[in-house]
Amino acid sequence: MNSVYITSVGKFLPGSPVSNDEMEDYLGKIGGKSSKTKRLILEKNQIRSRYYAMDKEQKSLYTNAEMASLAIQDALERNGNVTDQDIDFLATGTTRADLLLPGFASMVHAETCLPPMEIASHSGLCASGMHALKNAYVHIKAGEHRAAIACSSEFLSREFKHTKFEAQGIYSNNRVPFDTDFLRFMLSDGAGATVLQNEPSSNGPSLRIEWIDNQSYANQYEVCMYSGMSKENGIPSWLDYPSIHEAADQGALNLKQDVRLVNEITKVGTNRLLELVEEGRIDPERIDWMVCHYSSHFFRDEIFRLLELGGVRIPEEKWFTNLYTKGNTGAASIYIMLEELMNEGHLAEGEQVLCIVPESGRFQTSIMLLSVV
């Protein structure tokens, strides 16, 4: 079996940073009224700036596939070991592709103009980006390919345009409920991409992938973050409505978070990490960088507390995030964090990087161990 290395990481963040005060200039004020929950959510998540791929007239500046392609271009330009012709596998992850069909990887492949190759589309929430990485990793490890790209892109701001909610009959006389309004001030746009190879880079640091562990707990929990169903009405799918119009009018296509369940995500992620420590796959003393995709600062202290209860302490100075300046870009967040960590000179040879991506969709956790070479 081959060793697998991340030999370069690229990103694309659209436009200029958007401050907290500017958010509703882009998203719009529903019914002309500023959100009553905005301040509370921003106090808890502590995000100070983020990026949107639409302008203040709410016109899209890019497609989701275009942003993924631009991140891939950045990763390839940073890599002196490969050319476009060397890449023969592409795996993508996203929450909401531009189209229902075909798959996101097909659209990204077309945007990149890379040669014919094998592709794989992963859709879901935050873990879909790690699923793409695992797919590319396994293909190279097994000798199927020598060079691959794994990427993830999110264009989530257009989910939250004020006009979308104003057109929904269910909210014509009421404010948008917290389970949806909450996400308007949590999520943002961006893309990241990695080049994976069966040998390390000859002109810079690489990250050897030791292993990637993806675990689902959907058998233990009901849906928490979702789109395309109505929990309130007990309708299991938007396709079960008499028409697409009625599904949209009733808010079934909105992206929602069941706030009664979301706190479970810290327990699920921490428990899996502690299991891996107990199995001997993680040595906390050897971890130099803890790259954790927590969606809000609110969860950070709880993760620390649960780890210490389990007998594991990873000092705060080893934790790395750019949540506060780059925003919560869902499945792309882990790529955007690794890009900054790798390209801004933070890493030294021999260090170990532990990456954690919890997902609250129906609860799963992705954990990856990397070594700097």
Side-chain angles (χ1 to χ4, degrees), residues 83-216:
T83 68
D84 292 3
Q85 299 301 314
D86 296 318
I87 307 297
D88 50 11
F89 181 68
L90 169 67
T92 64
T94 192
T95 296
R96 189 91 84 180
D98 301 298
L99 307 179
L100 293 175
L101 293 171
F104 189 54
S106 291
M107 304 307 293
V108 174
H109 184 206
E111 287 291 338
T112 62
C113 296
L114 290 168
M117 66 177 64
E118 184 177 354
I119 62 172
S121 300
H122 298 267
S123 63
L125 292 163
C126 299
S128 65
M130 286 290 277
H131 294 171
L133 257 174
K134 178 71 176 275
N135 199 341
Y137 162 72
V138 169
H139 273 76
I140 293 179
K141 191 172 184 65
E144 289 278 327
H145 303 287
R146 292 192 303 165
I149 288 173
C151 70
S152 183
S153 183
E154 300 283 26
F155 190 169
L156 295 166
S157 62
R158 61 184 171 184
E159 297 279 327
F160 302 115
K161 299 176 184 180
H162 71 104
T163 51
K164 177 180 177 180
F165 301 103
E166 291 166 352
Q168 294 172 9
I170 193 173
Y171 303 134
S172 59
N173 297 313
N174 300 289
R175 285 189 175 270
V176 173
F178 185 76
D179 63 359
T180 295
D181 202 34
F182 164 77
L183 294 173
R184 296 186 80 220
F185 305 105
M186 289 286 289
L187 300 171
S188 53
D189 307 335
T194 53
V195 176
L196 283 69
Q197 294 180 254
N198 60 2
E199 57 185 14
S201 173
S202 59
N203 59 0
S206 296
L207 299 171
R208 184 175 64 236
I209 301 176
E210 304 297 346
W211 47 259
I212 302 176
D213 178 84
N214 292 324
Q215 292 288 319
S216 167

Side-chain angles (χ1 to χ4, degrees), residues 154-371:
E154 300 283 26
F155 190 169
L156 295 166
S157 62
R158 61 184 171 184
E159 297 279 327
F160 302 115
K161 299 176 184 180
H162 71 104
T163 51
K164 177 180 177 180
F165 301 103
E166 291 166 352
Q168 294 172 9
I170 193 173
Y171 303 134
S172 59
N173 297 313
N174 300 289
R175 285 189 175 270
V176 173
F178 185 76
D179 63 359
T180 295
D181 202 34
F182 164 77
L183 294 173
R184 296 186 80 220
F185 305 105
M186 289 286 289
L187 300 171
S188 53
D189 307 335
T194 53
V195 176
L196 283 69
Q197 294 180 254
N198 60 2
E199 57 185 14
S201 173
S202 59
N203 59 0
S206 296
L207 299 171
R208 184 175 64 236
I209 301 176
E210 304 297 346
W211 47 259
I212 302 176
D213 178 84
N214 292 324
Q215 292 288 319
S216 167
Y217 301 90
N219 62 320
Q220 300 175 20
Y221 294 92
E222 61 180 281
V223 171
C224 179
M225 188 171 177
Y226 59 97
S227 174
M229 66 179 290
S230 174
K231 274 189 151 186
E232 300 85 357
N233 299 331
I235 299 176
S237 169
W238 64 278
L239 294 168
D240 291 316
Y241 282 83
S243 68
I244 293 175
H245 173 78
E246 187 169 338
D249 200 45
Q250 294 299 306
L253 300 181
N254 294 342
L255 193 59
K256 301 178 183 180
Q257 179 92 67
D258 188 332
V259 293
R260 299 174 301 110
L261 288 174
V262 68
N263 288 347
E264 292 294 309
I265 192 58
T266 54
K267 299 176 188 176
V268 171
T270 304
N271 285 344
R272 184 56 187 156
L273 190 150
L274 293 173
E275 287 172 357
L276 292 169
V277 170
E278 188 173 342
E279 292 170 13
R281 297 177 69 188
I282 297 173
D283 179 357
E285 297 296 323
R286 292 200 59 204
I287 300 303
D288 299 286
W289 295 96
M290 186 79 155
V291 183
C292 183
H293 166 56
Y294 46 88
S295 60
S296 168
H297 183 85
F298 174 79
F299 295 117
R300 181 183 170 104
D301 289 343
E302 180 66 2
I303 296 169
F304 286 167
R305 185 184 73 82
L306 291 173
L307 284 176
E308 292 199 4
L309 280 176
V312 171
R313 184 177 183 275
I314 299 176
E316 189 170 349
E317 60 268 20
K318 293 185 176 183
W319 288 63
F320 179 87
T321 185
N322 51 22
L323 170 73
Y324 311 108
T325 55
K326 303 298 191 298
N328 174 4
T329 50
S333 291
I334 194 67
Y335 292 80
I336 292 169
M337 285 191 283
L338 283 175
E339 187 279 332
E340 184 172 329
L341 193 64
M342 190 169 180
N343 293 338
E344 296 193 8
H346 296 286
L347 300 176
E349 187 172 357
E351 290 184 331
Q352 285 198 345
V353 181
L354 188 66
C355 302
I356 305 176
V357 180
E359 180 188 295
S360 62
R362 195 154 184 167
F363 295 99
Q364 56 183 306
T365 299
S366 296
I367 301 179
M368 175 172 62
L369 184 65
L370 305 170
S371 296

